[in-house]
Amino acid sequence: MAEKMHPAWDEVVDDRDEEEGGIVIVEERDGPPRRRWVRYVMPVMVEADPDTDQITLVVTLPEEVRDDRDDMGNFCVYDETFVRRRMDYYPVDQPELHAWNVAQPRWSSRFRVGGPDNWPELSRWEEGFDLTEADDVYAEVNPYADPR
């Protein structure tokens, strides 16, 4: 079996063997993958007071959320370990495509107000991830990491 490697943070990975040109990074397991993360972009408005040079307010605009894509136009979908997966690789079982379809934001009105109806309420949204452990793993392959 090929040596397991960690991909770069923006590298799309599949589970193909090295003979097929892919990178093996996850252990095989029975059954379908458990979770997929679909990345979205949401504008944030920041109010600045020019007299005091202070930020006075930050407002998110969930009604303008849209799916995030890489520079090639591919959607950004990650597995449960935050490894980026391609959406077109699995011919039969497509967990990435399925997750992308499920996660699509939907509003009950044509006037988008607040968060999508099929997402948790805004008060339950988290502000960010603590990816300290992932940062340590990817520091080995990240060309922008601190070279300490």
Side-chain angles (χ1 to χ4, degrees):
M1 176 156 216
E3 180 180 328
K4 296 182 189 245
M5 302 181 314
H6 294 289
W9 66 272
D10 59 346
E11 181 180 359
V12 178
V13 175
D14 57 38
D15 291 321
R16 291 183 287 177
D17 297 311
E18 282 187 356
E19 296 172 355
E20 296 178 22
I23 300 173
V24 177
I25 59 144
V26 294
E27 295 179 14
E28 291 183 24
R29 66 170 168 228
D30 294 331
R34 292 189 183 94
R35 304 218 187 253
R36 289 294 187 256
W37 292 89
V38 182
R39 193 167 75 185
Y40 285 84
V41 177
M42 181 175 57
V44 176
M45 299 290 292
V46 179
E47 180 183 55
D49 185 334
D51 296 329
T52 63
D53 293 337
Q54 297 290 317
I55 303 300
T56 56
L57 186 62
V58 177
V59 177
T60 60
L61 302 170
E63 61 274 2
E64 294 185 29
V65 69
R66 63 187 182 281
D67 33 29
D68 195 12
R69 298 174 184 232
D70 63 15
D71 58 350
M72 299 294 291
N74 300 311
F75 297 108
C76 299
V77 181
Y78 301 81
D79 67 12
E80 62 273 6
T81 61
F82 291 97
V83 172
R84 181 134 178 245
R85 298 296 181 158
R86 58 178 86 244
M87 285 183 45
D88 60 351
Y89 176 68
Y90 302 95
V92 177
D93 182 20
Q94 299 182 348
E96 287 74 23
L97 182 59
H98 180 77
W100 181 80
N101 281 312
V102 169
Q104 285 295 300
R106 294 176 184 87
W107 286 265
S108 56
S109 169
R110 68 183 180 119
F111 302 108
R112 294 180 173 187
V113 178
D117 294 336
N118 61 321
W119 288 14
E121 292 182 25
L122 293 174
S123 62
R124 294 183 42 214
W125 289 18
E126 296 185 25
E127 292 185 16
F129 291 105
D130 179 11
L131 294 178
T132 307
E133 185 177 318
D135 290 342
D136 293 341
V137 170
Y138 290 114
E140 300 170 15
V141 294
N142 182 356
Y144 305 107
D146 189 1
R148 290 185 244 168

